[in-house]
Amino acid sequence: QVQLVESGGGSVQAGGSLRLSCAASGYIDSGYFMGWFRQAPGKEREGVAGIDTGDGRTYYADSVTGRFTISQDNARNTLYLQMNSLKVEDTAMYYCAADPVSKYSMSWFRVPDYNHWGQGTQVTVSS
């Protein structure tokens, strides 16, 4: 059973930075694809960034490209999301997700394609 636990959320002013962490436990091998998603009130959950834990391929939503960086620490089974130059519109609940099926540029952001989800961590950016 895969379990994902996010941490690192909080409140920050626009222009600030936060680093989210996702601790993964259970059976996750190098074939897993992992991603960060977010959901703002009244909006659908959307993909923010994804990474193939085997070959390190990364993907980003256009809205965060150049500001956010997804990375992994395989030794600690931890996924990170470094968020810089935060904007008010980045305010949302952020979720970590994992799936054993590899994904690519046209599929990494599809919410239904992920089998495992964390409970989320809130990020609030104020002006």
Side-chain angles (χ1 to χ4, degrees), residues 38 63-69 82-87 90:
R38 66 186 181 187
S63 59
V64 307
T65 297
R67 300 188 298 122
F68 292 9
T69 302
Q82 178 67 43
M83 305 186 296
N84 298 329
S85 302
L86 282 162
K87 303 176 180 180
D90 294 319

Side-chain angles (χ1 to χ4, degrees), residues 27 29-30 32 46 55 68 81 84 97 107 119:
Y27 184 72
D29 63 14
S30 61
Y32 267 70
E46 63 176 1
D55 62 20
F68 292 9
L81 184 68
N84 298 329
S107 62
Q119 294 300 306

Side-chain angles (χ1 to χ4, degrees), residues 11-68:
S11 297
V12 64
Q13 287 193 325
S17 298
L18 282 174
R19 187 176 81 156
L20 306 183
S21 299
C22 172
S25 60
Y27 184 72
I28 290 187
D29 63 14
S30 61
Y32 267 70
F33 195 96
M34 300 190 72
W36 285 100
F37 290 75
R38 66 186 181 187
Q39 187 166 18
K43 294 188 177 181
E44 293 186 354
R45 192 169 296 190
E46 63 176 1
V48 174
I51 186 168
D52 187 297
T53 61
D55 62 20
R57 281 177 296 113
T58 58
Y59 300 99
Y60 295 92
D62 290 344
S63 59
V64 307
T65 297
R67 300 188 298 122
F68 292 9

